[in-house]
Amino acid sequence: MTTEKKTLGGWSPEALVTEEVKKICIKEKPLIEKETKANFKGYIPLTFRHQTVAGDNYLVKMYVGVNVCVHALMFQALPCNGGGLTVTRVQYPKTASDPLVPF
């Protein structure tokens, strides 16, 4: 569970990634690379936004090269629904200055 204030259905403000979000990003790196058809030598989660719905949506900005980022939308199901984690959408390439806007 993340520590930022949650608003059911609403997106949190953009914040620095937590250890929990870093772990999710590292776990999902192969799927994000597959979606982008890229092999990232650098892969550093930077910031994220969070939304609680029938599970948790995470929108994360990852640094993957010189001023190049990827934005990934990931969904974690509730434990009562199996708790599965999926990458639902990816935007690439993005710049480091591009804001995290739900897509």
Side-chain angles (χ1 to χ4, degrees):
M1 180 82 49
T2 57
T3 57
E4 85 279 358
K5 184 177 177 184
K6 294 183 179 183
T7 303
L8 189 61
W11 284 95
S12 71
E14 190 170 346
L16 294 176
V17 294
T18 62
E19 285 303 314
E20 175 190 11
V21 174
K22 284 181 188 177
K23 289 177 186 176
I24 289 169
C25 294
I26 298 305
K27 180 179 179 183
E28 297 303 307
K29 181 183 178 194
L31 290 174
I32 293 168
E33 288 179 326
K34 183 178 179 183
E35 287 290 318
T36 60
K37 298 176 177 61
N39 184 8
F40 303 126
K41 294 189 190 302
Y43 184 82
I44 303 168
L46 299 173
T47 59
F48 80 108
R49 295 183 69 187
H50 177 262
Q51 178 190 42
T52 300
V53 286
D56 293 300
N57 281 313
Y58 296 95
L59 178 56
V60 186
K61 179 187 295 187
M62 273 91 49
Y63 174 85
V64 296
V66 178
N67 199 36
V68 179
C69 291
V70 61
H71 292 184
L73 181 60
M74 295 171 275
F75 177 74
Q76 176 121 48
L78 294 170
C80 62
N81 293 327
L85 182 63
T86 57
V87 175
T88 54
R89 294 185 197 134
V90 175
Q91 290 182 330
Y92 173 79
K94 301 293 274 183
T95 66
S97 63
D98 286 334
L100 273 176
V101 178
F103 55 95

